[in-house]
Amino acid sequence: AASKFSEEQMSWDQMGEWADEWVTFESKAKFENGMFVARIRGDSMEPTIPADAYCLFRQPRAGSRQGRIVFVMHSGVNDPFTGGQYTVKEYTSEKAVDPETDWRHTRITLKPHNQKYDPILLTPEDEGEARVIAEFVEVVG
């Protein structure tokens, strides 16, 4: 789970201006424009992402998101720690052939790695309520 962004944080152009704190870390990942570190609250992604871990994220890659861990904004999410509408989960989707667009989602699943939590299931009607903000790179620190 992740907290709600403030007004200042809504513009990615001003990222350095609103950071709460700066972190330094060793990483094999090549730094890219738009990367950021966020502290993840909760244990829904354990063991992959420990509770309260700092994680490195990058802008979402083009192509399939299947099996990737993503940082998602969803109006149906209510973070118990902060009241925000953000979550970090593994993305999977099911698709069907669509004559107009080649394919369409029939269901998107945002899957926790900790089995004590239920996945978030999105139907095509819900899809507009969810937005992938970033893609998980690694736990840092």
Side-chain angles (χ1 to χ4, degrees):
S3 65
K4 183 177 180 181
F5 284 100
S6 68
E7 290 298 318
E8 294 83 25
Q9 294 168 327
M10 294 308 285
S11 171
W12 290 101
D13 297 332
Q14 301 170 344
M15 284 176 69
E17 296 174 18
W18 52 258
D20 283 343
E21 58 187 292
W22 291 97
V23 296
T24 58
F25 57 90
E26 297 288 325
S27 176
K28 293 180 182 177
K30 183 180 178 210
F31 185 77
E32 302 169 16
N33 192 26
M35 283 183 145
F36 64 94
V37 172
R39 184 175 181 195
I40 306 303
R41 296 285 180 101
D43 61 352
S44 72
M45 287 303 289
E46 286 185 345
T48 307
I49 300 174
D52 294 320
Y54 287 88
C55 296
L56 179 63
F57 291 90
R58 66 178 169 216
Q59 293 179 350
R61 295 282 193 247
S64 175
R65 294 184 179 129
Q66 195 74 5
R68 296 183 189 184
I69 297 173
V70 293
F71 184 91
V72 177
M73 179 182 78
H74 184 290
S75 61
V77 170
N78 187 5
D79 173 21
F81 296 99
T82 65
Q85 295 181 324
Y86 297 86
T87 191
V88 174
K89 300 286 183 278
E90 181 180 328
Y91 181 103
T92 60
S93 67
E94 297 172 22
K95 299 175 183 168
V97 175
D98 184 321
E100 294 179 21
T101 61
D102 293 329
W103 61 269
R104 64 177 172 79
H105 285 118
T106 56
R107 180 167 66 178
I108 294 172
T109 303
L110 301 176
K111 177 184 163 191
H113 286 184
N114 186 334
Q115 294 186 3
K116 73 179 185 181
Y117 296 95
D118 294 326
I120 299 169
L121 303 175
L122 304 174
T123 63
E125 295 77 28
D126 301 323
E127 192 174 349
E129 298 174 16
R131 179 174 161 218
V132 174
I133 304 294
E135 182 179 314
F136 171 77
V137 176
E138 65 185 0
V139 174
V140 298

